[in-house]
Amino acid sequence: MPVRGRNQSAQALQVHGRLFLLDCGEGTQYAMVAHKVPMMKLDSLFLTHIHGDHVFGIFGLLSTLGMKGRQTPLNIFAPANFGPILKFFLSYYGDGIGFEIRYTPLKMKGPETILETKSLRVEAFPLNHGIETFGFRFEEKEPPFNVHKEAIEKYGLTLTEIGTLKRGEDVLRADGSTIPASEAAYKPFVPRSYAYVTDTAPFPEEADWLRGTTVIYHEATYLHDLADQGALRHHSTTAQAAQVALAAGAAKLLIGHYSSRNTDIRPYEAECRAIFPETYATSDGEVYDI
């Protein structure tokens, strides 16, 4: 339900210069303008399910992209039952859409890769929400090694030798000497990952599917004392979200999708932190670096 100062579900995720939109609730395009998220640079849209608070903003967003003259194709990954909704939109308003919409229906029973680039892999996996619902996990691939500038000068490395070190291999020279990759090369970063999990009640495989994720965003619709409502409506409580993060070995937990009956989100954070201290209750417009 609408709450003052709290928009419907939508997140912008930027990875290596590519912009992804996760869900598209009512008012998303207005929020993108307000928070200076460049909608024309949008690469792909990921929809968890077709409940209104997650999709009612898509008609306006697609129409605006068309009016702005977008020509770059837009990827949409969404449950199979989103297909008729997209068809309805295009049948009435498609004349103003001058770009290709590449819709991929999601039907998997377990984690599957749905998008892959040189530096990124995106998985989708089913959730437990009573209708077709999917979570998404974004993971950086292992980067190639970089070579220390000092090593290039010290050993007078050739381009071939630099290429060998970038593969993580030792350099073996004709004179029998060895330049260890462990000394001359290094990994520029440890791969990070981000999971977007909403809406869902807990299910047995959840923590395993999220194992090792750096940052998990997990819905926590209800405080712990309303666990019965969570079970009835296929949502999670604070304690359940925190337990998933703990079992998955996450570094940080972000929570949201609060019940409209609560305007104060501090109790949500407190209940989660009692189980998983690195929990942060999110508010609109906040930016988190992973």
Side-chain angles (χ1 to χ4, degrees):
M1 296 290 289
V3 175
R4 183 185 297 273
R6 186 187 300 166
N7 286 317
Q8 302 290 295
S9 295
Q11 290 188 9
L13 177 67
Q14 189 171 39
V15 184
H16 297 291
R18 301 184 71 165
L19 181 64
F20 304 121
L21 185 64
L22 315 179
D23 278 335
C24 192
E26 182 180 359
T28 293
Q29 64 172 331
Y30 292 98
M32 294 178 79
V33 172
H35 299 297
K36 299 181 180 180
V37 178
M39 66 176 69
M40 289 295 281
K41 292 185 178 181
L42 184 61
D43 180 288
S44 301
L45 173 58
F46 300 83
L47 299 177
T48 56
H49 62 299
I50 63 168
H51 280 162
D53 58 325
H54 295 257
V55 300
F56 279 170
I58 194 166
F59 284 14
L61 176 63
L62 293 178
S63 296
T64 298
L65 292 176
M67 291 177 66
K68 284 178 171 286
R70 180 186 177 107
Q71 295 184 349
T72 306
L74 177 68
N75 301 308
I76 298 181
F77 300 89
N81 55 11
F82 176 72
I85 297 174
L86 180 60
K87 183 178 180 180
F88 168 84
F89 168 77
L90 292 174
S91 69
Y92 280 90
Y93 308 106
D95 288 347
I97 305 299
F99 58 93
E100 180 186 1
I101 296 176
R102 297 173 177 172
Y103 165 52
T104 300
L106 306 177
K107 304 176 183 179
M108 62 281 297
K109 300 298 182 182
E112 288 186 14
T113 299
I114 58 173
L115 179 65
E116 193 165 6
T117 70
K118 287 184 177 180
S119 60
L120 177 70
R121 181 182 297 105
V122 185
E123 285 185 341
F125 49 91
L127 300 178
N128 177 20
H129 192 46
I131 66 168
E132 284 184 304
T133 307
F134 297 89
F136 302 101
R137 186 175 185 273
F138 301 77
E139 181 179 28
E140 287 179 312
K141 294 181 178 179
E142 284 284 345
F145 284 85
N146 284 351
V147 178
H148 291 290
K149 291 182 180 179
E150 298 82 0
I152 296 175
E153 297 173 0
K154 177 181 178 180
Y155 295 108
L157 295 172
T158 67
L159 290 177
T160 300
E161 290 173 335
I162 290 173
T164 299
L165 290 168
K166 283 189 172 184
R167 294 193 299 272
E169 302 170 3
D170 295 343
V171 171
L172 306 177
R173 286 184 157 172
D175 62 4
S177 63
T178 300
I179 304 173
S182 59
E183 174 192 333
Y186 65 96
K187 281 291 182 75
F189 60 86
V190 176
R192 295 153 291 182
S193 53
Y194 179 71
Y196 180 72
V197 185
T198 185
D199 299 2
T200 188
F203 57 95
E205 302 88 354
E206 185 175 10
D208 285 339
W209 291 351
L210 296 173
R211 185 81 57 199
T213 303
T214 311
V215 177
I216 297 174
Y217 171 85
H218 200 290
E219 70 121 302
T221 303
Y222 295 106
L223 295 171
H224 183 60
D225 63 349
L226 290 176
D228 58 336
Q229 290 294 310
L232 180 65
R233 301 174 184 273
H234 293 90
H235 281 293
S236 293
T237 66
T238 49
Q240 290 165 342
Q243 287 162 354
V244 167
L246 183 65
K252 182 182 293 185
L253 171 65
L254 308 180
I255 57 170
H257 201 274
Y258 317 109
S259 170
S260 59
R261 72 182 71 194
N262 296 317
T263 56
D264 184 1
I265 65 174
R266 289 174 296 181
Y268 285 89
E269 187 172 90
E271 288 192 357
C272 284
R273 285 187 173 184
I275 298 170
F276 189 81
E278 280 297 307
T279 299
Y280 299 86
T282 61
S283 296
D284 288 359
E286 293 178 338
V287 178
Y288 292 87
D289 291 324
I290 302 172

